Amino acid sequence: MNETSNIVPLRQPDEIDDPLTNVLRAGARQLLAQAVEAEVETFLATVKDLKLADGRARVVRHGYSPARTIQTGVGPVEVARAKIRDRGASSDGERIRFSSAILPLWARRTRSLDALLPVLYLRGISTGDFQEALTALLGKDAPNLSPAVISRLTAVWQGEYERWQRRDLSARRYVYVWADGVFLQARMEDHSECMLVLIGATPEGKKELIGFQVGVRESAQSWRELLIDVKRRGLQIAPEIAVGDGALGFWKALDEVFPGTRHQRCWVHKTVNVLDKVPLSVQATMKKDLREVYWAPNRASAEAAIDVFAEKYRAKYGRAVECLKDRDALLAFYDFPAEHWDHLRTSNPIESVFATVRHRTVRTKGSLSPTTAKLMVFKLVIAALKTWRRLKGTNQCRRSIAGVRFNDGIEVIQVPANHAA
C-alpha cells in the first residue's frame, strides 16, 4: 500500500551539502558516459566489415555491465560500461574483445586520485585516517580507500619502483645532471638519511629522473653506489656538467665514476652558506652583492664582482669570503649556452619537484620506514613528470654534446687557418 509521506529527511551533521559539487558530479557522469559510448561506436566502426555467413554483423552491442562507482577528483561517479559480443568466435582464442581505454575493466579510482595518496601520506596522514581526510572530496563512504586498499597499493608501487630501478639506460644520454639530498624528516626514522636524487636533461631538453635511493647526503659512498648503479644499467656517456651543493659527497663519487663531467656549484646553496657566516644585519646587503656575481653578463664581470666582494668583506667576515674560493665551479655555467644559465646556476629542478615535502621538521605519528618513504617519493615524482618543463633553448643541448664551445654563453666560431688573415 502506497501512502504519501510528509517526512522530510534532514541533513546529518557530518554530511556536506554542496550544490556546486553535485552539479559537477552530474556533469562528469554524463561526460564519462558519452565518452565511453563514443569509444564503443569507434570500435564497432573498425570491425563493421566483419560478417557472419548469413550476412549479419559479427560484432554487435551486448548491453551494459552492472553500474559501478569510480572515485574521482570530484567525488564518486557512477557509470556503466558498454559490452560487445562476438557472434562468430569459435573459441576464446579467436574472440574479438573490446577493452575501454577510458574505463578499464577493473578501474575503481582515477589515476590522479592514486597520485594524491602518497602526497597525503607524506603530509602525515596515516592510512587509517584517509577515510576521514577524504570524506569531503569523495563522499561519506569512500569505499575504495580503506587501509587494506592502501596497503595493496603500496605493494603495487613497490613492484613499479623495482621495475623502474631495473630499466635499461643504454639508449639514454644526459647533457646536464642535477644532484641533491632531499630530507623527509617527518617520515624518516634516522634524520641523517635522506633521498639522494639525480635528475638529468636529455639532448631534447627534457628533464628526467635518473635515479634516487636512501643514503647520507654528505657520504661519497652513498653517492658512489647510486652512480655505479646508473652506469651499470647502461649510462656510459658522462654528462657535460653536474649541478649541486658543494657539501655533497656527490663530487668525489662523480670524479671516480664520470671523471669527464664538469662541476657547477648551486648558487642558492652557496648563498645560504655564505649568509650563515655573517650577522643578520649584514645579510641583505651581502645577498645583493652575491647576486651581482651570478647575474653578471660574462665571466670577467663575475670575476670582478667576486674581487669586489672579497675586498669589501674580508676584514670582518673572512669566513664568508672563503666560501667563494671555488671560483671555477661557481662560474662554470659561463662555458655553456646563455639560454641554459638559469637552469645551471642552481639545483632548482630538484628543489621545485620536492617543494611539498622538503625541509619538513615536525615528526608525525606512524613514521615510515625508509623503504616506504622511498616508495611515496617515487610516486610523487612520477606524478610530477608530466608537468616538468623543458629547458629553454632546447636546440642548444645537441650543440653542447656535439663539442661546440661556448664563451660567455655565445657559440665560439672556429675560423679556418687560411682565412685568419
Side-chain angles (χ1 to χ4, degrees), residues 5 13 32 40 67 85 148 184-185 197 221 240 267 276 304 322 341 373 387 397-398 401:
S5 174
L32 181 57
V40 172
R85 177 188 175 192
L184 304 176
Q185 297 178 10
V197 184
Q221 179 59 28
E240 297 296 314
W267 270 100
D276 189 51
E322 278 297 304
W341 287 359
T387 65
C397 294
R398 294 191 179 277
I401 62 178

mmCIF file of all heavy atoms in Angstrom, residues 5 13 32 40 67 85 148 184-185 197 221 240 267 276 304 322 341 373 387 397-398 401:
data_model
loop_
_atom_site.group_PDB
_atom_site.id
_atom_site.type_symbol
_atom_site.label_atom_id
_atom_site.label_comp_id
_atom_site.label_asym_id
_atom_site.label_seq_id
_atom_site.Cartn_x
_atom_site.Cartn_y
_atom_site.Cartn_z
ATOM 1 N N SER A 5 3.988 10.435 2.164
ATOM 2 C CA SER A 5 4.642 10.754 3.438
ATOM 3 C C SER A 5 5.055 12.210 3.456
ATOM 4 O O SER A 5 5.527 12.754 2.453
ATOM 5 C CB SER A 5 5.869 9.854 3.641
ATOM 6 O OG SER A 5 6.578 10.263 4.798
ATOM 7 N N PRO A 13 24.731 15.993 10.607
ATOM 8 C CA PRO A 13 25.811 16.952 10.907
ATOM 9 C C PRO A 13 27.102 16.682 10.157
ATOM 10 O O PRO A 13 27.840 17.596 9.845
ATOM 11 C CB PRO A 13 26.006 16.777 12.430
ATOM 12 C CG PRO A 13 24.700 16.246 12.920
ATOM 13 C CD PRO A 13 24.177 15.375 11.816
ATOM 14 N N LEU A 32 31.366 11.247 -18.942
ATOM 15 C CA LEU A 32 32.004 9.943 -18.954
ATOM 16 C C LEU A 32 31.189 8.938 -19.748
ATOM 17 O O LEU A 32 31.729 8.159 -20.544
ATOM 18 C CB LEU A 32 32.201 9.453 -17.514
ATOM 19 C CG LEU A 32 32.890 8.101 -17.340
ATOM 20 C CD1 LEU A 32 34.262 8.114 -18.013
ATOM 21 C CD2 LEU A 32 33.026 7.757 -15.860
ATOM 22 N N VAL A 40 32.955 3.046 -27.846
ATOM 23 C CA VAL A 40 32.361 1.809 -28.340
ATOM 24 C C VAL A 40 31.983 1.948 -29.814
ATOM 25 O O VAL A 40 32.240 1.049 -30.629
ATOM 26 C CB VAL A 40 31.113 1.447 -27.501
ATOM 27 C CG1 VAL A 40 30.373 0.266 -28.133
ATOM 28 C CG2 VAL A 40 31.516 1.116 -26.076
ATOM 29 N N ALA A 67 26.316 -1.172 -13.212
ATOM 30 C CA ALA A 67 26.912 0.128 -12.903
ATOM 31 C C ALA A 67 27.885 0.005 -11.742
ATOM 32 O O ALA A 67 27.657 -0.754 -10.795
ATOM 33 C CB ALA A 67 25.819 1.135 -12.572
ATOM 34 N N ARG A 85 29.573 -8.186 -28.172
ATOM 35 C CA ARG A 85 29.548 -9.644 -28.325
ATOM 36 C C ARG A 85 30.077 -10.028 -29.690
ATOM 37 O O ARG A 85 29.670 -9.455 -30.704
ATOM 38 C CB ARG A 85 28.119 -10.151 -28.149
ATOM 39 C CG ARG A 85 27.966 -11.655 -28.359
ATOM 40 C CD ARG A 85 26.506 -12.020 -28.366
ATOM 41 N NE ARG A 85 26.310 -13.437 -28.681
ATOM 42 C CZ ARG A 85 25.138 -13.991 -28.984
ATOM 43 N NH1 ARG A 85 24.051 -13.216 -29.016
ATOM 44 N NH2 ARG A 85 25.049 -15.272 -29.259
ATOM 45 N N ALA A 148 43.160 -1.405 3.977
ATOM 46 C CA ALA A 148 43.587 -2.605 3.253
ATOM 47 C C ALA A 148 43.902 -2.274 1.794
ATOM 48 O O ALA A 148 44.868 -2.794 1.221
ATOM 49 C CB ALA A 148 42.498 -3.674 3.323
ATOM 50 N N LEU A 184 63.307 14.086 4.291
ATOM 51 C CA LEU A 184 61.879 13.910 4.586
ATOM 52 C C LEU A 184 61.771 13.599 6.074
ATOM 53 O O LEU A 184 61.430 12.503 6.468
ATOM 54 C CB LEU A 184 61.289 12.778 3.754
ATOM 55 C CG LEU A 184 61.459 12.918 2.240
ATOM 56 C CD1 LEU A 184 60.925 11.686 1.553
ATOM 57 C CD2 LEU A 184 60.754 14.159 1.739
ATOM 58 N N GLN A 185 62.097 14.571 6.891
ATOM 59 C CA GLN A 185 62.282 14.300 8.315
ATOM 60 C C GLN A 185 61.012 13.850 9.019
ATOM 61 O O GLN A 185 61.058 13.187 10.042
ATOM 62 C CB GLN A 185 62.851 15.545 8.994
ATOM 63 C CG GLN A 185 64.238 15.899 8.460
ATOM 64 C CD GLN A 185 64.776 17.162 9.095
ATOM 65 O OE1 GLN A 185 64.221 17.670 10.049
ATOM 66 N NE2 GLN A 185 65.862 17.669 8.560
ATOM 67 N N VAL A 197 68.916 12.236 -4.876
ATOM 68 C CA VAL A 197 68.147 12.398 -6.110
ATOM 69 C C VAL A 197 69.057 12.849 -7.241
ATOM 70 O O VAL A 197 69.898 13.738 -7.060
ATOM 71 C CB VAL A 197 67.007 13.421 -5.922
ATOM 72 C CG1 VAL A 197 66.159 13.515 -7.184
ATOM 73 C CG2 VAL A 197 66.148 13.058 -4.727
ATOM 74 N N GLN A 221 80.314 7.511 -0.396
ATOM 75 C CA GLN A 221 79.967 6.116 -0.656
ATOM 76 C C GLN A 221 78.518 5.971 -1.077
ATOM 77 O O GLN A 221 78.202 5.210 -1.994
ATOM 78 C CB GLN A 221 80.239 5.270 0.596
ATOM 79 C CG GLN A 221 79.895 3.799 0.454
ATOM 80 C CD GLN A 221 80.658 3.111 -0.673
ATOM 81 O OE1 GLN A 221 81.771 3.509 -1.019
ATOM 82 N NE2 GLN A 221 80.059 2.082 -1.262
ATOM 83 N N GLU A 240 77.799 16.482 -19.512
ATOM 84 C CA GLU A 240 78.717 17.596 -19.733
ATOM 85 C C GLU A 240 79.014 18.337 -18.437
ATOM 86 O O GLU A 240 80.144 18.765 -18.207
ATOM 87 C CB GLU A 240 78.123 18.567 -20.764
ATOM 88 C CG GLU A 240 77.918 17.971 -22.149
ATOM 89 C CD GLU A 240 79.230 17.565 -22.788
ATOM 90 O OE1 GLU A 240 80.195 18.369 -22.737
ATOM 91 O OE2 GLU A 240 79.304 16.454 -23.321
ATOM 92 N N TRP A 267 74.119 28.040 -6.746
ATOM 93 C CA TRP A 267 74.237 29.364 -6.156
ATOM 94 C C TRP A 267 73.225 29.592 -5.036
ATOM 95 O O TRP A 267 73.449 30.430 -4.156
ATOM 96 C CB TRP A 267 74.107 30.444 -7.230
ATOM 97 C CG TRP A 267 75.437 30.804 -7.815
ATOM 98 C CD1 TRP A 267 75.962 30.378 -8.993
ATOM 99 C CD2 TRP A 267 76.415 31.663 -7.221
ATOM 100 N NE1 TRP A 267 77.214 30.922 -9.187
ATOM 101 C CE2 TRP A 267 77.514 31.712 -8.114
ATOM 102 C CE3 TRP A 267 76.471 32.391 -6.044
ATOM 103 C CZ2 TRP A 267 78.661 32.468 -7.845
ATOM 104 C CZ3 TRP A 267 77.616 33.143 -5.768
ATOM 105 C CH2 TRP A 267 78.697 33.178 -6.659
ATOM 106 N N ASP A 276 75.085 32.443 6.203
ATOM 107 C CA ASP A 276 75.064 31.792 7.510
ATOM 108 C C ASP A 276 76.260 32.187 8.375
ATOM 109 O O ASP A 276 76.249 31.961 9.586
ATOM 110 C CB ASP A 276 75.037 30.271 7.307
ATOM 111 C CG ASP A 276 74.797 29.529 8.611
ATOM 112 O OD1 ASP A 276 73.826 29.878 9.308
ATOM 113 O OD2 ASP A 276 75.572 28.607 8.933
ATOM 114 N N ALA A 304 85.226 40.011 -11.488
ATOM 115 C CA ALA A 304 85.422 41.330 -10.884
ATOM 116 C C ALA A 304 84.486 41.517 -9.692
ATOM 117 O O ALA A 304 84.876 42.100 -8.669
ATOM 118 C CB ALA A 304 85.174 42.421 -11.928
ATOM 119 N N GLU A 322 85.761 33.200 2.261
ATOM 120 C CA GLU A 322 86.400 31.921 1.955
ATOM 121 C C GLU A 322 85.446 30.978 1.223
ATOM 122 O O GLU A 322 85.884 30.101 0.482
ATOM 123 C CB GLU A 322 86.897 31.262 3.243
ATOM 124 C CG GLU A 322 88.230 31.784 3.739
ATOM 125 C CD GLU A 322 89.354 31.510 2.768
ATOM 126 O OE1 GLU A 322 89.551 30.326 2.412
ATOM 127 O OE2 GLU A 322 90.029 32.458 2.353
ATOM 128 N N TRP A 341 71.645 29.182 -18.700
ATOM 129 C CA TRP A 341 72.221 29.673 -17.453
ATOM 130 C C TRP A 341 71.245 29.591 -16.289
ATOM 131 O O TRP A 341 71.625 29.237 -15.181
ATOM 132 C CB TRP A 341 72.716 31.115 -17.634
ATOM 133 C CG TRP A 341 73.961 31.225 -18.463
ATOM 134 C CD1 TRP A 341 74.665 30.210 -19.033
ATOM 135 C CD2 TRP A 341 74.646 32.433 -18.814
ATOM 136 N NE1 TRP A 341 75.746 30.695 -19.720
ATOM 137 C CE2 TRP A 341 75.769 32.057 -19.602
ATOM 138 C CE3 TRP A 341 74.423 33.786 -18.548
ATOM 139 C CZ2 TRP A 341 76.658 33.001 -20.118
ATOM 140 C CZ3 TRP A 341 75.314 34.723 -19.046
ATOM 141 C CH2 TRP A 341 76.422 34.334 -19.827
ATOM 142 N N ALA A 373 58.923 5.349 2.680
ATOM 143 C CA ALA A 373 59.084 6.755 2.294
ATOM 144 C C ALA A 373 59.624 6.868 0.880
ATOM 145 O O ALA A 373 59.209 7.730 0.103
ATOM 146 C CB ALA A 373 60.025 7.456 3.278
ATOM 147 N N THR A 387 54.498 17.453 -15.673
ATOM 148 C CA THR A 387 54.469 18.905 -15.520
ATOM 149 C C THR A 387 55.850 19.539 -15.647
ATOM 150 O O THR A 387 55.962 20.758 -15.629
ATOM 151 C CB THR A 387 53.868 19.289 -14.157
ATOM 152 O OG1 THR A 387 54.741 18.830 -13.100
ATOM 153 C CG2 THR A 387 52.494 18.657 -13.978
ATOM 154 N N CYS A 397 71.071 22.118 -26.683
ATOM 155 C CA CYS A 397 71.527 20.925 -25.964
ATOM 156 C C CYS A 397 72.377 20.040 -26.862
ATOM 157 O O CYS A 397 73.442 19.545 -26.460
ATOM 158 C CB CYS A 397 70.333 20.142 -25.430
ATOM 159 S SG CYS A 397 69.386 20.987 -24.150
ATOM 160 N N ARG A 398 71.935 19.833 -28.096
ATOM 161 C CA ARG A 398 72.690 18.986 -29.019
ATOM 162 C C ARG A 398 74.010 19.629 -29.405
ATOM 163 O O ARG A 398 75.003 18.926 -29.673
ATOM 164 C CB ARG A 398 71.848 18.692 -30.259
ATOM 165 C CG ARG A 398 70.613 17.842 -29.957
ATOM 166 C CD ARG A 398 69.949 17.336 -31.222
ATOM 167 N NE ARG A 398 68.801 16.512 -30.924
ATOM 168 C CZ ARG A 398 68.876 15.218 -30.622
ATOM 169 N NH1 ARG A 398 70.049 14.612 -30.590
ATOM 170 N NH2 ARG A 398 67.782 14.529 -30.364
ATOM 171 N N ILE A 401 76.606 18.699 -26.665
ATOM 172 C CA ILE A 401 77.161 17.351 -26.709
ATOM 173 C C ILE A 401 77.921 17.094 -28.009
ATOM 174 O O ILE A 401 78.649 16.110 -28.119
ATOM 175 C CB ILE A 401 76.053 16.294 -26.530
ATOM 176 C CG1 ILE A 401 75.023 16.381 -27.657
ATOM 177 C CG2 ILE A 401 75.389 16.440 -25.188
ATOM 178 C CD1 ILE A 401 73.938 15.320 -27.560
#
